Amino acid sequence: MSCDMSEWDGPLHLSDVEERPACLLVLNYGALRIDKLGQIVTPSQVKNRPTIQWEGMDPKKLYTVIFTDPDVPSRDNCHLGQWHHYLVVNVKGNDLSSGCTLTEYVGVGAAKGTGHHRYTWLVYEQTTELKCNEQVLSNRKAEGREKFNAAKFRKKYKLHSPAAGICFLGEWDESVLDLYKQLGVE
């Protein structure tokens, strides 16, 4: 695994989302491994929650994991971004199932014709167990996921700078129709 995050501030402009993480986050969606910034994927490939890993992960520490799309409805017109796809706190190491899920996971859902979106994952180390007052969101509803801000969430709960992060690019495919139906968006 790599800790060279110099591309974070490159052409993807990920500093729009959050400051540069210390290390690269690696996502494993079954057979698909996402291990470089800007990798292009399809919604079909990332519809289920991945496993995660990064250099320096400590199984005895607690982490917050955030997955957002800052490009909603499109990169040129992102007035609804960051739209959060997943938010979990109090994760023991990289075991996502051990944490308290505030926003249930939903996969990539870029609208047809809006081009590539920057899907961004961030991991923050916690100093203590969090007790959050955020609305809990199910994977059956889109409402409440818009206009999220990862950096503000970090400051509100006094999280460290990002320990790890990654961004992949995704755009519309036919599976997005199923996601919209699941979320009640048509």
Side-chain angles (χ1 to χ4, degrees):
M1 281 185 272
S2 168
C3 277
D4 178 13
M5 295 297 290
S6 58
E7 292 182 43
W8 190 265
D9 300 313
L12 292 171
H13 301 285
L14 296 173
S15 55
D16 294 350
V17 178
E18 177 58 291
E19 69 182 66
R20 183 188 311 178
C23 286
L24 185 70
L25 180 66
V26 175
L27 307 173
N28 290 295
Y29 284 94
L32 173 66
R33 179 180 172 92
I34 299 174
D35 59 2
K36 47 187 176 291
L37 290 172
Q39 197 168 325
I40 297 174
V41 304
T42 67
S44 304
Q45 293 175 300
V46 295
K47 69 180 183 177
N48 298 313
R49 187 183 75 189
T51 59
I52 62 173
Q53 61 191 71
W54 68 96
E55 192 171 305
M57 185 280 299
D58 183 339
K60 295 177 185 153
K61 291 185 177 179
L62 295 176
Y63 297 93
T64 293
V65 179
I66 300 173
F67 172 34
T68 69
D69 174 359
D71 302 326
V72 177
S74 70
R75 190 151 179 196
D76 293 332
N77 178 20
C78 53
H79 69 276
L80 295 176
Q82 300 169 33
W83 199 89
H84 61 292
H85 288 254
Y86 186 55
L87 173 58
V88 60
V89 300
N90 302 325
V91 175
K92 293 176 186 155
N94 64 345
D95 180 5
L96 294 172
S97 64
S98 70
C100 175
T101 301
L102 301 177
T103 302
E104 290 182 340
Y105 182 88
V106 295
V108 171
K112 191 172 189 175
T114 61
H116 286 112
H117 289 224
R118 298 168 294 165
Y119 292 94
T120 308
W121 284 81
L122 294 159
V123 176
Y124 302 90
E125 184 181 324
Q126 299 173 201
T127 54
T128 186
E129 187 172 324
L130 296 183
K131 296 190 183 350
C132 299
N133 61 357
E134 309 299 317
Q135 178 183 4
V136 175
L137 301 173
S138 84
N139 62 4
R140 297 281 177 205
K141 196 170 156 191
E143 186 181 337
R145 291 174 179 262
E146 72 284 345
K147 297 183 181 179
F148 182 80
N149 187 300
K152 284 183 183 177
F153 186 90
R154 171 175 60 107
K155 288 176 184 146
K156 178 178 180 179
Y157 291 104
K158 298 175 177 56
L159 303 172
H160 292 273
S161 294
I166 194 159
C167 171
F168 60 80
L169 301 176
E171 63 183 336
W172 188 88
D173 77 5
E174 292 286 331
S175 71
V176 172
L177 297 174
D178 292 333
L179 177 61
Y180 284 5
K181 190 178 213 178
Q182 172 186 323
L183 293 170
V185 177
E186 296 192 51

